[in-house]
Amino acid sequence: MSIQLFDFHGGICPPEHKADSNAEPIRAAPIPQQLVIPLSQRQGSAARVIVRLGQAVRTGETIAEPVDELGVAVHASSSGVITAIDHRVTLTGEVAECIIIDTDGIDRWHAMTPHPTWREYSPIQLIDLIQSAGIVGMGGAGFPTAHKLSASHIDTLIINGAECEPYITADDLTMRERAERVLLGAEILQQITAARRVLIAIEDNKAEAIEQISSALVARGEQYQLATVPTRYPSGGEKQLIQLLTGEQVPQGGLPADIGVICHNIGTCAAIADAIATGVPLISRITTFTGGAISQRGNLEVRIGTPLSHLLNWTGFDQDQCHKLLAGGSIMGKLIIDGDAPVTKTTHCILAATHTELPDPAPASPCIRCGLCAEACPAKLLPQQLYWYSRSRQFEPLAKYGLTDCIECGVCTYVCPSSIPLVDYFVTAKTEIKTKQDEQQRAEHARERFESRQARLARDANEKEAARAARKAQATANPEQSRFADQLDPVQAAIERAKTKKKQLLMAQPETPDPSVTRLELTSQLEVMSQRLSDAKLNNADQKILTALEASIALIQSQLSDDRIDESKPSDLAESKHINPAGDI
Amino acid sequence: MSAVFLFEQDGLRALLTFLLVGATFGSLLGFAAVRFASDDSSLVDTINAVLPQTQCGQCGYPGCRPYAEAISLGEAINKCPPGGEETIVELAQLLGTEPLPLDPDHGTETPAKVAFIREAECIGCTKCIQACPVDAILGAAKQMHTVIASECTGCDLCIEPCPVDCIDLLEISSTPTSAMHSGQDDSPIRVTTTRVKAPL
């Protein structure tokens, strides 16, 4: 039973170059001496390291755990010792935190837990297992599969085996050799999503894969259907494939789940089957090694984290022949910046192209507005307009012309007669828009912090002012209770007190002599004074001193004659500070 | 009688008609201007949203919002070095004026920076904490301070008060951009040379 096919706009039919690499069966690549395993995938959040330096790990052991639903677990791809946790450059030049394992060459496996009874598991249990097996989209995008599966109300599950880009044959070989596993993965996905029908889409240039899958499908029910799609790039693009098979378009800015469709790659299905049925997490993937500069072209089962240079050496890579070394196919592939960087979960193809395979494009000429790009664009965009606005960095019209819907498939660049690198402009504009949005978010955050700080400072000042006012109010209400009620007055009062005291003393002295001054004291004073006077007279002292002494003696004599001086109170005398007790005797 | 006579003179009739029409629409416009006056604070908010919010004060105002308020009252739009040319162009578009070159009296455009305290040298004086306009410095008296990099706007205000000069402004390093394969000379993406070890 064949299903009805629809059509998508545009597309191209470039030379396929599939036969370069699909003749040989999948070979297992040798394990390198050192594995560099990135903690983050192309999308989603980085995992949290749960091993320490120097720790021995076994193959398949979890070495980093996801922190949220957008992350996945990371596993040791082979047994060995953790020698570093550091930032390393990826194949395409980004910097990522990696765990570095020096392998022991034994490849000792960690104990695996198979789940033969997975059919009794709930979707949530299965999604958890998929997340902790570290599975991401293996078609190249690397979106965490578990997160994609959290969507609900799925009607159609599409298993994407179109593999439309030239040179790549990884999915082709997976389907040929592992059809049972692919379909087992599809069954697990069907159970999770409860999809009404499951469509396995394969491009019609993969005869052997179609045969293998259809023979494996015989044992499955009616709801599993094979869809052979015409070979036209980019039929394997998620939105294009959905349109091909269902005739429906994913809404702008929306997800396939919005129209009840979910799409997973063949490789992802095989990885899910491994993880659930045998308990083996995602520690290896099938990668196509192709291009004229590689002598032993074919598909390798590569442990995640294997340095590319190790694999290139093994496949007979010729540096002199290699004109361009790409991660990916000839259309969407990205130039490899560092050949020592590791293969990741999303590296589906390494293309070492010669000069004849991928010649340098002619220098770009001005856009002649021929409209070929618009005719070819599978997203139905107007690349010539987007080019114009990307060049002049006008971001608002770019949004209006749907830059975000560009899937960067490279069809426009491919058809452009002026050989303008259109996609490069779109990628740059997207990055710039992202940077700008990030900056705006940062600015907004800084503004909020600045304003809350200003508010806090103002509140503090107000509180201080209010406290001061409250104290003042209290002081005026009951002044005797407040220490600071009349801050100026205490000084003034003290001065006043001192003044009155002085005045009193001055006034009181002639009238009321100090009761402590007694007749006895005065007599002794008189004696001392008389002694001093006679001494002064003997020493021929100054006349002034003599008169002063004489005046003092006269004063004392007058006081002695005053009868108001109390002669009693002998006890007071002894206590008095003014008189030396010894003088009494 | 004389008013009717005046009105019957053609020239005068035209003049009076236009005067009447002018007065009617004038008063309508005047009423609309008062009734539907643009909210002043919303203009300040819009200007403020364009400014980079570093709160550095290089424009001569204590923060971005005060500068936005000043711009709304006619201050020049070219006094913000952290925003640079892009901000000036946006402000010019917003206000319908001509973009001006950045006023060099207020500084020059520099790449984004973040403050970094050499913690071993910090004496814990809290002066930088008081200076920071966005509360991006953490610490207490006689305790080591540190900058929360994600909150720092690189405004430079903490540098001057530091008595031991232990704060540096570091340029935010940008990671190399990912490269498309074209590698064409006229591609907007710059690519460093490919490096692969020669096979053994």
Side-chain angles (χ1 to χ4, degrees), chain A residues 22 29-30 90 106 158 184 227 258 271 284 310 357 365 367 378 426 440 465 489 522 525 531 558 567:
Chain A
N22 66 4
T90 65
I106 306 168
I158 296 174
L184 179 60
D258 298 344
S284 66
H310 172 83
E357 284 175 316
S365 334
C367 171
F426 304 156
Q440 257 164 6
E465 192 51 50
D489 287 351
L522 285 172
Q525 275 182 13
Q531 185 63 42
S558 73
E567 216 172 346

Side-chain angles (χ1 to χ4, degrees), chain A residues 524-542 545-550 552-553 556:
Chain A
S524 67
Q525 275 182 13
L526 188 61
E527 270 170 30
V528 173
M529 285 298 172
S530 321
Q531 185 63 42
R532 275 199 192 166
L533 186 61
S534 57
D535 284 352
K537 274 179 183 166
L538 277 174
N539 298 334
N540 287 327
D542 197 85
I545 297 170
L546 296 179
T547 27
L549 285 168
E550 275 165 3
S552 308
I553 292 166
I556 294 166

Side-chain angles (χ1 to χ4, degrees), chain A residues 18-26 169 172-173 176-177 208 297-299:
Chain A
K18 301 272 190 190
D20 296 359
S21 55
N22 66 4
E24 294 288 318
I26 297 170
T169 55
D172 186 6
L173 266 287
R176 286 189 203 185
E177 298 187 12
E208 204 184 325
R297 291 180 284 270
N299 285 282

Side-chain angles (χ1 to χ4, degrees), chain A residues 418-439:
Chain A
S418 297
S419 86
I420 300 169
L422 290 163
V423 177
D424 289 14
Y425 281 99
F426 304 156
V427 172
T428 313
K430 276 185 182 175
T431 321
E432 275 177 356
I433 291 171
K434 178 86 182 25
T435 318
K436 206 168 167 216
Q437 280 170 347
D438 286 353
E439 255 170 36

Side-chain angles (χ1 to χ4, degrees), chain A residues 339 364 424 445 449 453 456, chain B residues 130 135 151 182 186-187 195:
Chain A
D424 289 14
H445 185 65
R449 285 184 73 87
R453 178 184 149 93
R456 194 191 72 221
Chain B
Q130 290 159 36
D135 285 332
E151 310 294 347
S182 80
D186 32 28
S187 165
R195 181 168 64 85

